[in-house]
Amino acid sequence: MEPVDEHFLSAVDGLRTRDDAPEPDADLVARLEALFLAQAESRHLDLAARQLQQRGIGFYTIASAGHESNAALGLLSRATDPALLHYRSGGFYAARAHVAGGVDPVRETLRSLTCSAADPISGGRHKVFGHAGLHVVPQTSTIASHLPRAVGLGFALGLARQLGRETPWPEDAVVIATFGDASLNHSTAAGAFNAAAYLTHVRRDCPVLLVCEDNRIGISTRTPAGWPATVLQHLPGLPYVHAAGHEPVQLLETTAAALDAVRTRRAPAVLHLSTVRFMGHAGSDVEMAYRSQAAIQADLALDPLLGTARALVEGGHWSAEDARARYEQVRQCVHDEALDVGGEPRLTSREEVMAPLELPRPLTRPTPQPPDPSPLTLAQAINRTLAEALEEHADVLVFGEDVAVKGGIYGVTRGLRRRFGAARVFDTLLDEQTVVGTALGTALAGFVPVPEIQYLAYLHNAEDQLRGEAATLRFFSDGQYSNGMVVRVPGLAYQKGFGGHFHNDNALAVLRDVPGIAVAVASHPHSAPGLLRGCLDLARAGRVCVYVEPIARYHTRDLFDGDQGWLAPFDSSTRATTSDLVGYGTGRDLVIVTFGNGVFMSLRVARALRAEGFGCTVLDLAWVAPLPVGALLDEVAHAAAILVVDETRRSGGVSEAVVTALVDAGVEAPVARVASADSFVPLGPAADTVLLQEDEILAAALALLRP
């Protein structure tokens, strides 16, 4: 028997009704009884998780034991309030299920613990607290990475109200986000707090209750006494309240007041919930290695489940025997359900596991329309496509650092704010994780966000938001939740007179490694609009897209001096799919496979090759993830030789995947590749020493053609 289980039973047997117990309050008694049920279910599910693991049919043992006071939030919030929960939120989940009705929290949690394919949220992919019917959005965060999304969702609820748009939640809904005291110290949490405080300061609605569940320890590292309160009490404009988890009457009062304040004010607030942690960090954790027996014993006196039992017994509503009987009744229920659920089928194939990550099938293309005869640069073509999307779809939002008033560092979004208003085209804080967090929240609320990360090198500041939050939501909710978006990223290298590493980053590996994300690279103004529309189509279908825009080509006009070969009329009808690529030429002596700035350089090289008597075709991949392998293989089927031109780094670059695809398909034509060096990009002319150059492409091409 676990010590916390043994201590509870022993302590309950010693409880007695107080002689000075007040007159019973029927509503309070009902709430305490509901609180006890949810807390007891959570506790016994934690105990069952250890037993299931020992039997080899359970796969998760991070317990909610000691945190069951969060059941008060599940009990007192509305079942239509979106909740993004800490992984110790078993009490909340059970209480929310009982409030909503129709969901058995015991059975559904057991399904999650055992990876049952019938798990109602992840479909057997992960142990998460989530349920679409309960408006619990699944999170896998351990470091508060869900908080930017929570703040973004609070902002989205206010924005939807302002624009008169419906969301999946009522107009007066409150977003609830729970996190631990150790996560409080993460930069992601700090960024979310700052964004919430900023929205309060500028008087924008953001109804989110940020709940710190403070058990005073992060795995084995103690949180300094008073530190969480110090941080949380000094967030500008965010009201702070504290509740002790083992004092249920005060807990219920404080929680109700906090929820009511956020719902009424439509502004964020902080609830600091004192908790304890039982059963270690997880099943493999040996607390005695870093905690004293006295400290562990002291926490037992602060057991929230025992606190609720004490309130019921000492208040004269239950006897000690009643408390024990109800506790054991829940144990038996959990035991019986565990036996039943343990035999349910699990996912057994790669296709089943990956189903939520599959991109939609290509959409039917509209009838082509005559292109606008006025030639545009790449920047102008993207601007016009964004304006088209904003005009045609009232749910599209464009935002980021400097995109609104200034119109973007390179003028790509110029004029959009003036035309479509500050509610739909707006500047954000100078914080990339907040930019993506805003996209995550607005997407959940039914918008189609088009956020901009100002430079490719800055994307790493928001990498976890993209990888750990945006990309995983469909996977861990079995497609029930999605956050479709198009993240615009000015990037890649070859800028003249300006640059260095942070403004000339040429690495795409971090994007291509994320399952389920589509990554497009625009190259020419004639193909960029269709590619952006293709990304918007995918976003509207709930997928996450990254649209990379080569900075060096934004305002390019000529392929060769004075020819205006890098301008194009605006095409208002095409929409690319992930199976498309773009071809230039019909020569088969050499097919050059490339993307981005490589298209510009390769077309210049192709003319030089034609002057030497060689026929050459240049293929613009357009999509670097997933690669359009089928179309690529069709195009190279009759090539005498293939050269892959890759402006990204040789190690981990796009060319590695292209060559692998050709080899896997058994392509017999000789294949070579050229790429940039494995180096950061220096400032000034030295950049040319590490970035792929035209003369290298030409030399590699001639080596294939003249072996």
Side-chain angles (χ1 to χ4, degrees):
M1 179 178 285
E2 291 282 347
V4 66
D5 191 22
E6 185 176 8
H7 180 269
F8 176 84
L9 292 172
S10 174
V12 161
D13 287 343
L15 295 177
R16 298 292 182 270
T17 300
R18 287 167 41 200
D19 293 335
D20 60 346
E23 289 294 319
D25 178 332
D27 289 340
L28 176 60
V29 173
R31 283 185 173 180
L32 288 171
E33 290 180 337
L35 185 66
F36 182 87
L37 173 61
Q39 291 177 324
E41 287 177 333
S42 180
R43 178 67 54 84
H44 282 299
L45 283 165
D46 289 337
L47 297 171
R50 307 297 175 98
Q51 296 162 3
L52 290 166
Q53 185 191 49
Q54 291 170 5
R55 291 165 51 195
I57 57 173
F59 308 96
Y60 189 91
T61 56
I62 295 180
S64 299
H67 281 245
E68 293 96 346
S69 45
N70 57 41
L73 284 159
L75 184 65
L76 298 173
S77 60
R78 298 175 185 171
T80 51
D81 287 334
L84 295 79
L85 301 178
H86 183 252
Y87 53 67
R88 299 191 193 276
S89 296
F92 181 107
Y93 184 79
R96 170 65 66 91
H98 292 306
V99 167
V103 175
D104 179 356
V106 170
R107 189 171 189 86
E108 305 306 8
T109 302
L110 287 167
R111 281 174 161 161
S112 191
L113 289 167
T114 57
C115 299
S116 166
D119 168 25
I121 188 62
S122 79
R125 292 172 181 83
H126 203 280
K127 165 63 182 72
V128 288
F129 287 117
H131 196 290
L134 302 179
H135 297 282
V136 178
V137 183
Q139 307 299 312
T140 58
S141 166
T142 58
I143 53 168
S145 66
H146 60 303
L147 295 188
R149 183 202 293 273
V151 174
L153 181 53
F155 167 78
L157 294 179
L159 181 62
R161 200 175 191 180
Q162 177 185 349
L163 295 173
R165 294 191 57 81
E166 292 186 356
T167 76
W169 302 283
E171 275 198 358
D172 64 347
V174 168
V175 181
I176 300 165
T178 62
F179 58 97
D181 55 290
S183 297
L184 173 77
N185 301 299
H186 199 275
S187 62
T188 310
F193 299 152
N194 183 70
Y198 175 86
L199 289 169
T200 300
H201 184 75
V202 297
R203 300 182 180 178
R204 296 295 300 269
D205 283 3
C206 184
V208 56
L209 182 60
L210 299 163
V211 184
C212 179
E213 299 185 17
D214 180 6
N215 62 26
R216 309 187 308 280
I217 193 167
I219 305 183
S220 65
T221 303
R222 292 179 59 187
T223 298
W227 174 244
T230 299
V231 173
L232 296 171
Q233 286 175 346
H234 290 86
L235 299 174
L238 272 61
Y240 167 93
V241 292
H242 174 266
H246 66 290
E247 298 177 358
V249 175
Q250 183 258 345
L251 169 69
L252 291 168
E253 291 174 352
T254 302
T255 301
L259 286 164
D260 183 63
V262 174
R263 199 178 306 278
T264 302
R265 294 174 55 246
R266 312 306 296 162
V270 171
L271 171 59
H272 182 194
L273 185 59
S274 291
T275 66
V276 287
R277 189 189 75 185
F278 300 132
M279 303 167 68
H281 175 69
S284 60
D285 184 31
V286 182
E287 278 193 302
M288 292 298 293
Y290 55 86
R291 296 189 74 196
S292 69
Q293 185 62 42
I296 295 172
Q297 286 297 122
D299 280 355
L300 291 171
L302 304 177
D303 183 353
L305 182 58
L306 181 58
T308 305
R310 180 179 291 111
L312 286 162
V313 174
E314 291 184 350
H317 316 303
W318 285 1
S319 66
E321 291 75 15
D322 290 333
R324 173 185 269 268
R326 297 201 187 200
Y327 182 74
E328 294 297 346
Q329 183 180 16
V330 173
R331 187 199 303 274
Q332 188 61 49
C333 172
V334 171
H335 177 268
D336 293 345
E337 291 278 13
L339 290 176
D340 191 34
V341 167
E344 290 186 343
R346 301 190 182 101
L347 300 177
T348 57
S349 71
R350 178 179 295 180
E351 291 73 21
E352 285 179 316
V353 171
M354 295 178 62
L357 300 176
E358 292 297 318
L359 294 172
R361 293 182 178 179
L363 302 173
T364 302
R365 291 178 174 80
T367 303
Q369 301 296 319
D372 187 312
S374 303
L376 304 177
T377 63
L378 178 62
Q380 291 168 335
I382 294 170
N383 176 282
R384 190 156 171 180
T385 309
L386 290 172
E388 174 191 77
L390 287 160
E391 178 73 36
E392 295 178 358
H393 302 284
D395 54 3
V396 173
L397 304 174
V398 173
F399 54 87
E401 302 161 10
D402 301 304
V403 305
V405 177
K406 182 178 176 66
I409 295 295
Y410 297 94
V412 179
T413 55
R414 187 172 296 149
L416 298 181
R417 179 180 184 270
R418 182 173 60 254
R419 182 174 171 185
F420 298 102
R424 297 183 61 205
V425 181
F426 52 89
D427 291 321
T428 64
L429 293 171
L430 194 69
D431 175 38
E432 287 75 21
Q433 66 185 12
T434 295
V435 173
V436 180
T438 302
L440 292 167
T442 51
L444 266 183
F447 291 97
V448 179
V450 186
E452 179 188 289
I453 300 297
Q454 199 166 82
Y455 288 101
L456 181 58
Y458 299 172
L459 181 70
H460 302 285
N461 298 335
E463 182 181 332
D464 185 51
Q465 290 297 293
L466 198 61
R467 173 188 297 269
E469 295 293 324
T472 61
L473 185 60
R474 284 187 59 83
F475 187 76
F476 292 123
S477 69
D478 196 20
Q480 296 172 82
Y481 284 103
S482 61
N483 39 216
M485 65 182 71
V486 181
V487 184
R488 292 182 45 250
V489 186
L492 302 175
Y494 300 100
Q495 290 190 84
K496 300 299 183 184
F498 179 70
H501 165 62
F502 287 106
H503 304 98
N504 264 335
D505 189 3
N506 65 331
L508 296 174
V510 68
L511 291 169
R512 297 191 62 257
D513 183 52
V514 183
I517 284 186
V519 183
V521 181
S523 60
H524 194 283
H526 85 80
S527 57
L531 193 60
L532 182 50
R533 289 190 202 99
C535 287
L536 286 164
D537 288 340
L538 288 171
R540 201 165 290 283
R543 275 34 177 216
V544 178
C545 298
V546 178
Y547 185 80
V548 181
E549 303 165 6
I551 295 172
R553 302 277 74 85
Y554 268 148
H555 305 298
T556 299
R557 305 181 69 83
D558 300 333
L559 178 58
F560 299 99
D561 289 345
D563 72 345
Q564 295 199 340
W566 219 252
L567 299 177
F570 183 72
D571 190 333
S572 61
S573 63
T574 58
R575 17 187 21 100
T577 71
T578 54
S579 61
D580 294 336
L581 48 69
V582 182
Y584 299 87
T586 58
R588 291 300 169 186
D589 293 330
L590 179 68
V591 172
I592 298 178
V593 181
T594 187
F595 60 95
N597 291 292
V599 178
F600 181 86
M601 293 187 290
S602 296
L603 286 173
R604 290 171 60 88
V605 167
R607 188 172 82 163
L609 293 174
R610 284 193 293 272
E612 295 287 329
F614 297 107
C616 180
T617 294
V618 175
L619 299 180
D620 176 7
L621 289 168
W623 302 93
V624 297
L627 289 173
V629 174
L632 172 63
L633 295 177
D634 288 343
E635 290 292 334
V636 303
H638 302 292
I642 303 167
L643 177 64
V644 183
V645 173
D646 182 3
E647 65 180 291
T648 63
R649 298 169 193 162
R650 187 169 187 83
S651 298
V654 176
S655 57
E656 288 186 340
V658 175
V659 172
T660 299
L662 297 173
V663 171
D664 285 349
V667 172
E668 295 181 356
V671 177
R673 69 180 177 122
V674 284
S676 293
D678 291 342
S679 171
F680 298 111
V681 180
L683 188 65
D688 291 344
T689 67
V690 297
L691 293 173
L692 177 65
Q693 301 295 306
E694 281 183 33
D695 58 352
E696 296 175 87
I697 301 172
L698 180 58
L702 291 172
L704 280 169
L705 294 166
R706 297 171 178 166

